[in-house]
Amino acid sequence: MSGLDFVVAALSPFHVAIALAGVIAGTVVGALPGLTATMAIAVLVPITFSMDPASALILMGAVYTGAIYGGAYSAILLKTPGTPSAIATTFDGYPMARRGDGDLAVTLACVSSVFGGLVGAAFLLGLAPPLAKIALAFGPVEYFWLAIFGLTLISALSEGHLLKGLIGGCFGMLLTTIGVASVSADIRYTFGSQTLIGGIEPVAALIGLFCVPVLIDLVAVPGRHLKVPTETRGFRLPEALSLAWRHKFNLVRSSVIGTIVGILPGAGGSIAGLVAYSEARRSSKRTEHFGTGEPEGVEASESANNATVGGGFIPTLVLGIPGTPPDAVILGALLVQGIRTGPKLFVGEESSIVYIFIAGLFIATLLMFPTGLLIGRYAYRFIVTVPKALLVPTVAFMTIIGTYAIRNNLSDVVIMIVLGVVGWALDRCGFKPSPIVLGLILSRIAEDGFVQGWTIGTARGNVVAEFFARPISIGIIVFIFVSLFYPVIARRWRIQQEAKNGHET
Amino acid sequence: MATKPERDTPGIVLAAVFILIGAVFLYDSANLLDPDSFVFPVAICVVMIVLSMAFIAWNLIRPHPDVEATAVHGSTPRRAGLVVVMLASAFVMPYVGFVVSGLGAFVALMLLAMFEPWSWSRALIYGVVCLAVVSGFYAVFAKVFLVPLPEAPFL
């Protein structure tokens, strides 16, 4: 089969229909806090057994890409990331919605997600076998530094109060250590409580820290949740496309970051979004506007997290190592279908399956554009117009059922509500929830990497070299320092330049 | 006129609470024997305590001109009511089942979040929406995603 034949096969009415259905279903699932792409794909697996492998892959890929995008809706409109991948979207998406630009933020998220998804799929198509080697080059120490790189975002999210942000980040990291230690399996810091043995589920904590404070404030005052636009403004697509074009380098850079992070097993969309957001903020001319409703922040997060879809398939299909949790479920479904993953999958007899799937992934991502715009518009209109007496119970109900569904555990619901109250109180005293959430999300990766790196370093007799002398680690450490200090240096340089220009005039 | 610098008292109190939390975690770390279990959390505790002490010292030595604690507007009883209803819903769920606790919580939160006068037509419409939302979510989670939602023991 030639390249065109794969596209024609992917464009069969059946494939287009399942891609469309998958994208819509995925978007709705992703928008509901607590329901993840992994869960949606796992539910689909038995259905795919009756399909041919290419169709099954297209359906699961479409659900996956739709779910990652769907997380942006609740992140923008409710300040609750529908999926952990959309954490960084809340930082600027929600402030945009609060000031009356929710429709623009949703459209911008759609445009960025489609762009990121296409870039990830393009890398999967053109560079999968060589890029898969990146996954093998990353050891525990590199993961540790990558998590620390994500944590440098705390400096950006602390709104001028770095100490409070850092304390909040430490608190979040400490919360993650409660329960069973992932490396040694010791039970830690439960203080005799049965409820805490299972630990604090990051997604439940995320819902609690972000959504419950919004509900607490929403129920207390009679005003509307979001600013209602005075006139009908449609999708605001030309505005979103114009912004995307103006920030094209940000989109490309974030999509490449998303693809590379997606290749790294276990890293996932949340880290991709955070790292891309951090880089976007560092390199932007409007650094000080990040966190207050800057469109570049939404573009960075959304393009990066959707690029992880294509990126994650690279180690999954080439090495048989799933890049992200949904990839692990898809890999399982492929094995049941009798597909053997490996480099030969791209050149052997079964290559047609992979190439039809990649063509299908392109089609699903393109279909996300009209469906995403439509669903986004209705979601925005619903949130803006629904009476508060219905909005509050509906969102509260969603948080309860969504949190319960993560591990079928009511303790998670109680922890979620308690953390929400703690987050609300801390916010009143200037300790923002974002650094706490960053600590919660990144701590597990950081601890695993740190402990494993420490053990390997001790066995080799040189812990310092293990952490500081590996080429990729050095590269990430350089980025960490640049990310931390570049804004300060750039600001001083700008002030000096302005003073110099002032003297000259 | 320049505002007189004030101490961030709520921030100082919370920093002291974080020091206490760190100390409790450090104390509990003494029970852990495997270094793999305690090396990371101990490091985090120490950093958190040092940062909190630095925050307190900074505020005592150089009070910040703009204390950033956010003022609380709106009804505190409604706020407390929301938290109580959500917690109560979680606690009674094993005894009355998901549907009953969900309906109860939905109605209670609807009453808490209502700022306009009730009318018969509004009550009817909101009641129908309440039933639709709870049964809709129940159907999606229990029947499609096969989540084992708590059932009422008496049903």
Side-chain angles (χ1 to χ4, degrees):
Chain A
M1 279 175 95
S2 69
L4 195 62
D5 293 332
F6 296 132
V7 177
V8 171
L11 275 171
S12 72
F14 178 66
H15 284 155
V16 173
I18 57 170
L20 183 64
V23 165
I24 294 171
T27 307
V28 173
V29 166
L32 298 173
L35 284 187
T36 59
T38 314
M39 197 187 275
I41 295 166
V43 168
L44 275 180
V45 167
I47 301 169
T48 60
F49 291 157
S50 58
M51 296 176 175
D52 65 274
S55 307
L57 268 173
I58 289 174
L59 178 60
M60 290 188 285
V63 170
Y64 183 11
T65 200
I68 296 292
Y69 163 61
Y73 292 149
S74 40
I76 292 168
L77 302 173
L78 298 170
K79 205 190 172 188
T80 307
T83 58
S85 303
I87 291 170
T89 310
T90 56
F91 301 156
D92 285 289
Y94 186 66
M96 280 182 81
R98 289 285 290 169
R99 71 167 183 237
D101 283 330
D103 45 0
L104 178 63
V106 166
T107 302
L108 201 56
C110 182
V111 171
S112 308
S113 295
V114 170
F115 185 84
L118 291 175
V119 170
F123 273 101
L124 175 62
L125 176 67
L127 292 165
L131 278 179
K133 289 176 184 163
I134 293 176
L136 300 178
F138 265 66
V141 174
E142 283 77 13
Y143 279 101
F144 167 73
W145 286 119
L146 196 66
I148 299 298
F149 185 31
L151 285 170
T152 60
L153 241 191
I154 286 176
S155 67
L157 298 172
S158 304
E159 299 169 20
H161 301 277
L162 186 60
L163 271 179
K164 282 185 174 178
L166 291 173
I167 295 168
C170 288
F171 179 59
M173 292 176 92
L174 213 51
L175 286 177
T176 323
T177 62
I178 294 171
V180 181
S182 58
V183 176
S184 63
D186 267 343
I187 295 175
R188 309 180 288 193
Y189 313 121
T190 57
F191 306 103
S193 162
Q194 296 283 331
T195 309
L196 292 175
I197 286 179
I200 293 180
E201 218 293 322
V203 179
L206 195 76
I207 295 172
L209 285 165
F210 275 137
C211 193
V212 172
V214 173
L215 285 172
I216 289 174
D217 283 334
L218 205 57
V219 79
V221 287
R224 287 223 172 247
H225 168 49
L226 300 177
K227 194 176 167 188
V228 185
T230 46
E231 77 279 12
T232 312
R233 300 182 293 196
F235 294 114
R236 299 179 75 180
L237 185 57
E239 215 176 327
L241 288 173
S242 159
L243 280 169
W245 177 250
R246 208 182 306 158
H247 308 141
K248 49 190 173 293
F249 293 116
N250 176 26
L251 279 176
V252 172
R253 182 186 52 237
S254 304
S255 303
V256 172
I257 288 172
T259 307
I260 292 171
V261 174
I263 293 169
L264 307 176
S270 54
I271 291 193
L274 291 168
V275 171
Y277 183 89
S278 179
E279 275 306 289
R281 181 184 170 273
R282 184 186 61 77
S283 55
S284 173
K285 290 175 184 164
R286 293 168 54 83
T287 300
E288 64 276 13
H289 291 93
F290 274 68
T292 61
E294 174 57 45
E296 279 187 83
V298 176
E299 290 165 354
S301 167
E302 282 305 303
S303 53
N305 65 26
N306 263 87
T308 59
V309 177
F313 276 117
I314 292 173
T316 310
L317 297 176
V318 180
L319 303 172
I321 302 169
T324 58
D327 287 325
V329 182
I330 293 172
L331 182 65
L334 282 180
L335 292 175
V336 173
Q337 294 260 13
I339 304 294
R340 292 174 66 184
T341 53
K344 286 182 181 172
L345 192 60
F346 284 76
V347 288
E349 285 175 12
E350 290 173 330
S351 64
S352 63
I353 295 168
V354 173
Y355 288 114
I356 292 171
F357 159 62
I358 296 173
L361 193 61
F362 273 109
I363 292 163
T365 308
L366 289 170
L367 285 172
M368 198 164 74
F369 189 61
T371 55
L373 286 178
L374 266 177
I375 298 172
R377 186 174 184 188
Y378 284 110
Y380 174 66
R381 280 176 64 177
F382 173 77
I383 297 292
V384 166
T385 55
V386 72
K388 191 173 263 186
L390 290 177
L391 183 67
V392 169
T394 305
V395 176
F397 188 69
M398 272 166 54
T399 62
I400 291 173
I401 192 170
T403 305
Y404 176 82
I406 299 167
R407 296 194 297 194
N408 306 330
N409 190 346
L410 275 171
S411 299
D412 286 341
V413 179
V414 176
I415 291 171
M416 179 270 291
I417 299 166
V418 171
L419 275 179
V421 178
V422 170
W424 180 84
L426 289 176
D427 196 8
R428 297 278 81 74
C429 300
F431 289 86
K432 301 292 169 198
S434 304
I436 303 173
V437 167
L438 270 185
L440 267 161
I441 295 292
L442 298 175
S443 174
R444 208 152 284 173
I445 296 170
E447 181 177 7
D448 289 356
F450 181 77
V451 172
Q452 286 171 19
W454 184 276
T455 309
I456 294 168
T458 309
R460 286 181 176 161
N462 196 341
V463 176
V464 176
E466 187 65 26
F467 276 88
F468 296 98
R470 291 163 65 98
I472 298 175
S473 295
I474 294 170
I476 303 172
I477 292 167
V478 168
F479 270 105
I480 289 169
F481 276 97
V482 170
S483 179
L484 274 176
F485 298 113
Y486 176 80
V488 181
I489 296 166
R491 195 164 54 231
R492 288 200 174 170
W493 186 77
R494 224 175 10 243
I495 291 167
Q496 279 176 0
Q497 286 295 312
E498 281 168 10
K500 208 168 148 187
N501 292 340
H503 282 302
E504 282 171 8
T505 53
Chain B
M1 199 175 77
T3 52
K4 191 187 166 196
E6 281 179 49
R7 289 201 176 97
D8 181 0
T9 311
I12 291 172
V13 172
L14 274 177
V17 172
F18 282 123
I19 291 172
L20 188 69
I21 292 171
V24 171
F25 271 66
L26 276 181
Y27 177 77
D28 204 53
S29 299
N31 298 325
L32 300 167
L33 300 175
D34 190 340
D36 286 353
S37 304
F38 65 75
V39 66
F40 187 78
V42 163
I44 300 296
C45 281
V46 170
V47 173
M48 191 170 82
I49 290 170
V50 169
L51 289 171
S52 301
M53 285 175 165
F55 179 82
I56 293 171
W58 183 261
N59 260 279
L60 293 177
I61 297 165
R62 286 182 61 181
H64 205 272
D66 54 338
V67 178
E68 57 180 319
T70 317
V72 179
H73 300 291
S75 161
T76 303
R78 285 181 197 255
R79 282 196 172 92
L82 177 117
V83 176
V84 169
V85 169
M86 286 180 77
L87 278 174
S89 160
F91 282 120
V92 302
M93 209 179 277
Y95 307 104
V96 299
F98 172 81
V99 176
V100 175
S101 85
L103 283 171
F106 201 104
V107 171
L109 291 174
M110 205 158 64
L111 295 171
L112 275 172
M114 190 62 172
F115 287 87
E116 291 157 44
W118 282 99
S119 64
W120 283 109
S121 60
R122 182 173 276 162
L124 188 69
I125 293 167
Y126 283 22
V128 171
V129 173
C130 166
L131 278 174
V133 170
V134 175
S135 55
F137 273 106
Y138 176 79
V140 169
F141 278 76
K143 306 299 176 193
V144 179
F145 291 106
L146 303 176
V147 175
L149 295 171
E151 299 286 348
F154 49 82
L155 288 179

